[in-house]
Amino acid sequence: MKKVAQEDYLPLLRSSLSTIKKLKVELEKKKSNTEPIAVIGMGCRFPGGCNDPEKFWEFLNEGHDGVIEVPEDRGSIRDLYDPDPNATGKIYLKEAGFLQEKVSEFDSRFFGISPREAIEMDPQQRLLLEVSWEALERAGISANEIKGTQTGVFIGTIGSEYALLPRANKNTNPYTLTGSMSNIASGRISYILGVHGPSISIDTACSSSLVSVHLACESLQRGESSLALAGGVNLMLAPDGFLSLCELNALAKDGRCKTFDASGDGYGRGEGCGVVVLKRLSDALRDKDPVLAVIKGSGVNQDGPGSGLTVPNGKAQKELITKTLDVANVPPDDISYLEAHGTGTALGDPIEFQALTEVFGKDRKAENPLIIGSVKSNIGHLEAAAGMASLIKSILCLQNKTIPPNLHLDTVNPRIHLDKIPAKIPTESIPWETEGKQKNLGISSFGFSGTNAHVIMSEPPETLNTNNYLQSSFERPLHVLTLSAKDEDALSELIIKYKDYLDNKSLEKLENICFTANVGRTHFSHRT
């Protein structure tokens, strides 16, 4: 037998090693592209006086309605009210989900913005700055800590109604464009924080903010971003949107979303802002971040041609939810709660429910009903921020192991058959029980433009600490609580907030509160 020289094996060996390396790279790439994303912080401004997640949960759990009469500072909307839906150039409703506080109030100097520029800034940009900063603080991340990093910013926003309002010297002010353009909504956040990741404003109508979550997750999974802010904002400042929607007869006459109810006669508008802080789960675990929830998968698609430009497509909704379940590797029967788009329209609700029936109604047993709800029944349809309101509500449901009531449900729409899934729409708070299995949920957000988004999310593993504060690993006999602000008035307000929190929240350990305030907050010149 002919002997083979050792050197003859070397090319084969090198080729094999090269192949193994390529396979390893491909496996790592595939793993990173499907890595779960941790939600590590969140902030919000929603109707009903919900200026933080704790107030929002209390509001939801107690079944409150955030729809109110048009505030006095929105005179251009109030003055056009006429109950006659056929009246031309009039608004046939006088209630919607408005924020309770005045949106004109803004501490511009905190963000290094001159009063002159602040006047020209759309209040949507102002809200986004405030809520993004709060979301980072609640994640235990100092703004100084992320300066210069690949932090991405993804914001859902639909234009600027503020730009439609008459203002003195509007056409000659140098800040008019930057104050009203959608691209600045995300760009200004990145600029103020000094970060270098992708900065994108997204407008897909009603699905904008959930699409922003999807894009943020993809950016993290690709390694394009190391941290991401995803959010959405919507303010109703001018009458134009109301007038056009009234002409379409798209709005409910009482200004409320009567989700899945037989009386659904259109949707009720709402406003607000929500922002979440996202990170790859492995990085969040490494950095000992507070993991509030885990995004297992997300997806986006389009209705395409159908019955009309703004008419929802049930087939597209079904395909999107099915594909997102596959991405998340979660079978339909393991989804126990579905936060529906649920606008309360006579056309859209039955189409959405039929798609849910086709996805979740195959093998589901009666003892495992799909619980369905929609935050729109509480605060109205926040349009560009609607998906963010749904996401934050869903995180709070996971944290509190409770599903809050769905409002305005007296008689289920006769075209909706709950028993076909089977499904349940709670009208009072119910405990969320899954018999020891991990809690998984789905969130739908469907756009007026035809762009649909869906997210699959779960509670974090029980071994993780899910508190909203960084944890101190040291035991000390005494603790220092460091509070600071940019002026004395702001410092006084901060002290009052901490006092109220310490008076009302007894579950959190004092050492964790102090540790977070000391190392997870930006420190300013006025301190105590």
Side-chain angles (χ1 to χ4, degrees):
M1 182 180 292
K2 182 180 179 181
K3 291 185 178 181
V4 180
Q6 185 177 354
E7 56 269 19
D8 292 340
Y9 285 114
L10 290 177
L12 182 62
L13 185 60
R14 290 194 189 102
S15 176
S16 299
L17 287 171
S18 176
T19 302
I20 291 169
K21 285 179 181 178
K22 286 179 182 178
L23 286 171
K24 187 177 179 182
V25 168
E26 287 299 317
L27 285 170
E28 288 296 324
K29 186 178 178 182
K30 187 176 180 181
K31 180 183 175 184
S32 66
N33 286 344
T34 58
E35 181 173 1
I37 302 299
V39 182
I40 63 172
M42 55 185 178
C44 65
R45 297 281 192 283
F46 293 140
C50 303
N51 291 339
D52 58 51
E54 288 77 21
K55 288 178 184 174
F56 189 39
W57 175 249
E58 183 179 340
F59 171 87
L60 293 172
N61 195 40
E62 293 177 0
H64 292 305
D65 184 349
V67 175
I68 59 174
E69 284 200 18
V70 181
E72 291 184 5
D73 63 347
R74 317 291 176 95
S76 61
I77 300 172
R78 289 171 67 97
D79 296 343
L80 292 174
Y81 171 68
D82 189 319
D84 181 6
N86 297 314
T88 304
K90 295 293 181 178
I91 298 168
Y92 59 72
L93 67 154
K94 59 178 179 179
E95 292 185 315
F98 289 96
L99 295 177
Q100 289 186 355
E101 67 272 16
K102 290 185 178 180
V103 297
S104 58
E105 296 177 352
F106 177 60
D107 185 359
S108 60
R109 294 195 183 278
F110 179 89
F111 296 102
I113 298 168
S114 71
R116 187 186 181 202
E117 182 175 4
I119 289 172
E120 291 301 320
M121 279 176 62
D122 186 333
Q124 292 186 137
Q125 292 186 23
R126 306 175 199 169
L127 270 182
L128 283 167
L129 286 176
E130 293 173 351
V131 177
S132 295
W133 190 279
E134 290 172 14
L136 284 168
E137 284 198 335
R138 294 176 71 88
I141 295 174
S142 161
N144 291 334
E145 181 185 337
I146 59 171
K147 191 170 290 186
T149 66
Q150 288 298 117
T151 295
V153 178
F154 302 82
I155 299 297
T157 179
I158 305 174
S160 171
E161 291 194 3
Y162 189 62
L164 302 174
L165 298 177
R167 295 192 301 285
N169 301 320
K170 176 182 174 183
N171 296 324
T172 58
N173 195 293
Y175 302 114
T176 300
L177 278 179
T178 56
S180 60
M181 295 183 74
S182 295
N183 48 62
I184 301 296
S186 55
R188 195 185 292 273
I189 297 171
S190 298
Y191 170 75
I192 294 293
L193 295 175
V195 296
H196 300 291
S199 190
I200 306 172
S201 295
I202 298 123
D203 180 2
T204 59
C206 323
S207 59
S208 299
S209 60
L210 207 63
V211 171
S212 79
V213 172
H214 170 70
L215 295 178
C217 289
E218 285 196 330
S219 182
L220 287 164
Q221 288 167 335
R222 289 197 304 269
E224 184 180 60
S225 298
S226 56
L227 185 78
L229 294 174
V233 67
N234 189 58
L235 286 178
M236 303 176 291
L237 304 174
D240 304 61
F242 279 101
L243 288 168
S244 182
L245 289 165
C246 283
E247 287 290 332
L248 283 170
N249 203 33
L251 299 180
K253 293 175 179 59
D254 62 358
R256 288 164 173 81
C257 292
K258 297 175 282 291
T259 307
F260 299 133
D261 192 78
S263 65
D265 59 342
Y267 80 86
R269 297 189 75 194
E271 65 180 13
C273 178
V275 175
V276 292
V277 184
L278 305 175
K279 206 173 195 179
R280 288 181 291 271
L281 181 59
S282 59
D283 292 346
L285 296 176
R286 178 199 65 203
D287 298 336
K288 298 183 180 178
D289 293 313
V291 180
L292 311 181
V294 175
I295 296 174
K296 290 186 169 181
S298 63
V300 169
N301 78 352
Q302 232 285 339
D303 282 346
S307 302
L309 173 64
T310 63
V311 177
N313 185 327
K315 182 181 178 182
Q317 294 176 12
K318 172 192 171 184
E319 289 174 351
L320 172 64
I321 298 171
T322 301
K323 184 177 180 181
T324 309
L325 285 166
D326 289 342
V327 169
N329 196 27
V330 175
D333 281 359
D334 281 359
I335 298 292
S336 49
Y337 176 66
L338 195 289
E339 175 65 20
H341 184 60
T343 54
T345 62
L347 176 66
D349 281 8
I351 290 174
E352 179 176 8
F353 191 83
Q354 180 57 35
L356 295 178
T357 301
E358 292 177 22
V359 176
F360 297 103
K362 294 179 180 178
D363 303 307
R364 189 175 288 268
K365 295 179 173 56
E367 58 270 21
N368 179 35
L370 178 67
I371 305 170
I372 301 177
S374 175
V375 73
K376 294 179 181 65
S377 71
N378 298 93
I379 59 176
H381 182 2
L382 269 57
E383 298 166 345
M388 193 52 54
S390 294
L391 186 83
I392 292 176
K393 171 195 170 181
S394 299
I395 294 169
L396 293 168
C397 288
L398 287 170
Q399 289 184 309
N400 293 279
K401 297 179 171 55
T402 302
I403 309 294
N406 214 64
L407 306 189
H408 318 306
L409 185 67
D410 298 315
T411 305
V412 176
N413 188 317
R415 294 174 60 194
I416 291 172
H417 303 284
L418 298 176
D419 57 323
K420 286 192 174 181
I421 293 182
K424 177 180 180 180
I425 304 173
T427 53
E428 60 184 18
S429 285
I430 60 172
W432 188 357
E433 298 172 348
T434 52
E435 298 180 354
K437 294 175 67 177
Q438 188 180 55
K439 293 176 177 62
N440 296 301
L441 60 87
I443 305 166
S444 288
S445 194
F446 305 137
F448 184 70
S449 64
T451 298
N452 306 313
H454 193 78
V455 166
I456 303 296
M457 192 164 63
S458 72
E459 61 184 337
E462 288 186 8
T463 54
L464 293 181
N465 170 56
T466 57
N467 294 325
N468 286 337
Y469 292 91
L470 291 171
Q471 300 299 301
S472 172
S473 59
F474 300 98
E475 292 294 331
R476 298 181 177 90
L478 298 172
H479 297 278
V480 176
L481 177 62
T482 306
L483 304 178
S484 69
K486 290 195 173 183
D487 60 50
E488 287 296 335
D489 290 340
L491 182 59
S492 297
E493 289 181 17
L494 184 64
I495 291 169
I496 291 169
K497 285 182 179 179
Y498 267 90
K499 181 184 181 301
D500 290 343
Y501 185 86
L502 293 169
D503 284 346
N504 298 320
K505 308 287 181 181
S506 59
L507 296 178
E508 189 56 54
K509 292 180 179 179
L510 181 63
E511 57 263 36
N512 293 336
I513 294 174
C514 293
F515 185 70
T516 304
N518 297 344
V519 304
R521 299 285 186 269
T522 302
H523 296 289
F524 303 110
S525 56
H526 293 263
R527 307 177 69 176
T528 188

